[in-house]
Amino acid sequence: MGMIIGNILAIYRKELQGYFASPLAYIVAGVFWLLSGFFFVAILLSPEGVINQVAAQDQMGVPTPPVDVAYEFLRYFMSVMGSLALFVLPVLSMGLYAEERKRGTLELLATSPLTNWTVAVGKLLGVLTFFTAMIVPLLAYEAIALGAANPPVPPAVPLLAHLALILLAASILSLGMFVSSLTDSTILSAILTFGLVLFLWIIDLVAKSIGGSVGAALGHLSLLENYNNLVQGVFDTSNLVVFASYIILGLFLTAQSIDALRFQRS
């Protein structure tokens, strides 16, 4: 067990160093920060933002139920972050194995003493850590905005929302890693991953059109539905199970893909 953990950590450090040394990764992070900052200001302070909307309703004397501005802001902002992740994460995952194929090192990796699961877990942890580092700066101005709320926002609500974002990222990255293991084209990998994740993102629309027990079953597979439930502060273990299932499925399919390559080379 100690050797397995050591191998995972070795792959993890290698992948993490690769991301922090990659100009593309910094470009992706910069675009992500720019867009997230724009939407942060727009949701909070723009004429259509939650603060001005509530103020306008009060000035017009519109009878509305009390609005928790901080909660509404967090819900809208985290929904936008989930949508941004849909575009950013396929770019981060596209080179996990495709670059290995392009450089010709995937065959060496497939025939090495390291197990496929060890390599896959190490790679997933590396890219997930980089994405987590990308969202850390967002916490600073979220804390400033939510710190001014009265009454204060319970810490469990933003913590659960950010946990949902990390679980969503892990699910997308795991599936993207599998897609990356199938091709040596990083662009094709990103496009296929985006298409797959977009389908899982909007599958609840298909489920609603079908209806019945089949529709309900498909609805539970929706990344959007499970993510929104957690962002809204609804702690449901079934949402955690769905995300964990996607993560394990991506790791399993990746390991099988590399195992098939190992069989071809043997």
Side-chain angles (χ1 to χ4, degrees), residues 6-163:
N7 291 335
I8 290 176
L9 291 176
I11 298 293
Y12 167 74
R13 286 193 294 267
K14 173 181 175 296
E15 290 296 320
L16 194 58
Q17 290 171 359
Y19 277 102
F20 279 103
S22 170
L24 177 61
Y26 283 103
I27 292 174
V28 172
V31 172
F32 178 77
W33 289 331
L34 179 65
L35 292 177
S36 61
F38 169 78
F39 284 114
F40 178 89
V41 174
I43 294 172
L44 192 62
L45 300 175
S46 72
E48 293 79 21
V50 291
I51 292 179
N52 287 327
Q53 284 185 358
V54 172
Q57 290 176 353
D58 290 341
Q59 291 176 357
M60 295 172 60
V62 178
T64 57
V67 178
D68 189 334
V69 176
Y71 172 76
E72 290 299 315
F73 158 74
L74 181 64
R75 185 170 65 86
Y76 284 129
F77 182 65
M78 293 306 297
S79 296
V80 170
M81 289 300 98
S83 299
L84 282 179
L86 178 64
F87 294 91
V88 169
L89 294 173
V91 179
L92 291 180
S93 68
M94 67 183 184
L96 286 173
Y97 279 95
E99 284 293 338
E100 301 275 4
R101 279 183 176 271
K102 184 180 299 184
R103 293 194 300 260
T105 56
L106 185 59
E107 288 78 3
L108 297 176
L109 196 62
T111 56
S112 69
L114 299 176
T115 65
N116 300 329
W117 278 88
T118 297
V119 176
V121 170
K123 283 179 173 289
L124 178 60
L125 290 177
V127 66
L128 182 60
T129 300
F130 181 78
F131 178 75
T132 303
M134 286 173 53
I135 66 176
V136 166
L138 309 182
L139 300 177
Y141 44 83
E142 283 181 44
I144 295 173
L146 297 179
N150 186 21
V153 179
V157 176
L159 287 177
L160 184 60
H162 287 86
L163 173 63

Side-chain angles (χ1 to χ4, degrees), residues 170-185:
S171 302
I172 296 176
L173 291 170
S174 184
L175 295 173
M177 182 170 61
F178 163 63
V179 175
S180 180
S181 70
L182 300 176
T183 176
D184 59 359
S185 171

Side-chain angles (χ1 to χ4, degrees), residues 130-264:
F130 181 78
F131 178 75
T132 303
M134 286 173 53
I135 66 176
V136 166
L138 309 182
L139 300 177
Y141 44 83
E142 283 181 44
I144 295 173
L146 297 179
N150 186 21
V153 179
V157 176
L159 287 177
L160 184 60
H162 287 86
L163 173 63
L165 182 59
I166 293 175
L167 290 175
L168 174 68
S171 302
I172 296 176
L173 291 170
S174 184
L175 295 173
M177 182 170 61
F178 163 63
V179 175
S180 180
S181 70
L182 300 176
T183 176
D184 59 359
S185 171
T186 54
I187 301 300
L188 180 60
S189 173
I191 293 174
L192 292 177
T193 301
F194 175 77
L196 173 62
V197 174
L198 180 62
F199 172 73
L200 295 175
W201 189 259
I202 63 173
I203 196 175
D204 60 321
L205 299 178
V206 179
K208 291 177 181 177
S209 63
I210 295 176
S213 58
V214 176
L218 287 176
H220 288 302
L221 299 177
S222 169
L223 290 174
L224 177 62
E225 179 181 334
N226 288 280
Y227 176 70
N228 283 340
N229 285 344
L230 294 175
V231 165
Q232 292 170 4
V234 180
F235 183 79
D236 190 342
T237 54
S238 66
N239 302 137
L240 303 181
V241 170
V242 170
F243 284 126
S245 299
Y246 278 124
I247 296 170
I248 295 174
L249 177 63
L251 290 171
F252 172 77
L253 293 176
T254 302
Q256 294 304 307
S257 175
I258 303 304
D259 196 47
L261 180 63
R262 188 195 302 264
F263 178 75
Q264 292 174 4

